[in-house]
Amino acid sequence: MKPFHTIAVPHDDILQDRLTLDVFAADLWEVYHSRGPEEYRDPDLFFQKTYPTEGRSIAY
């Protein structure tokens, strides 16, 4: 099995210690009003930094 860090290389913002909470967890109200971080206002940039995954339901 390959080491994790050779398979999933983090984005530059993480490697350069620039990841902040406002980018990690979007304030959807701010995004709705076009006041959120650039990563959430620009769809192209958002999808460059986002990996789509399948949704999973958790049964309780």
Side-chain angles (χ1 to χ4, degrees):
M1 178 181 260
K2 294 182 180 181
F4 176 77
H5 68 277
T6 64
I7 298 170
V9 178
H11 287 272
D12 285 338
D13 54 351
I14 294 171
L15 292 173
Q16 297 174 7
D17 200 27
R18 293 181 299 157
L19 182 65
T20 59
L21 187 57
D22 64 323
V23 175
F24 181 71
D27 180 336
L28 296 180
W29 184 252
E30 292 297 308
V31 174
Y32 174 77
H33 288 286
S34 299
R35 298 187 300 236
E38 180 76 20
E39 286 83 351
Y40 293 105
R41 289 184 283 124
D42 180 346
D44 292 326
L45 183 57
F46 176 80
F47 285 106
Q48 285 175 7
K49 294 187 169 196
T50 304
Y51 181 78
T53 60
E54 283 187 33
R56 292 190 70 160
S57 298
I58 298 174
Y60 291 98

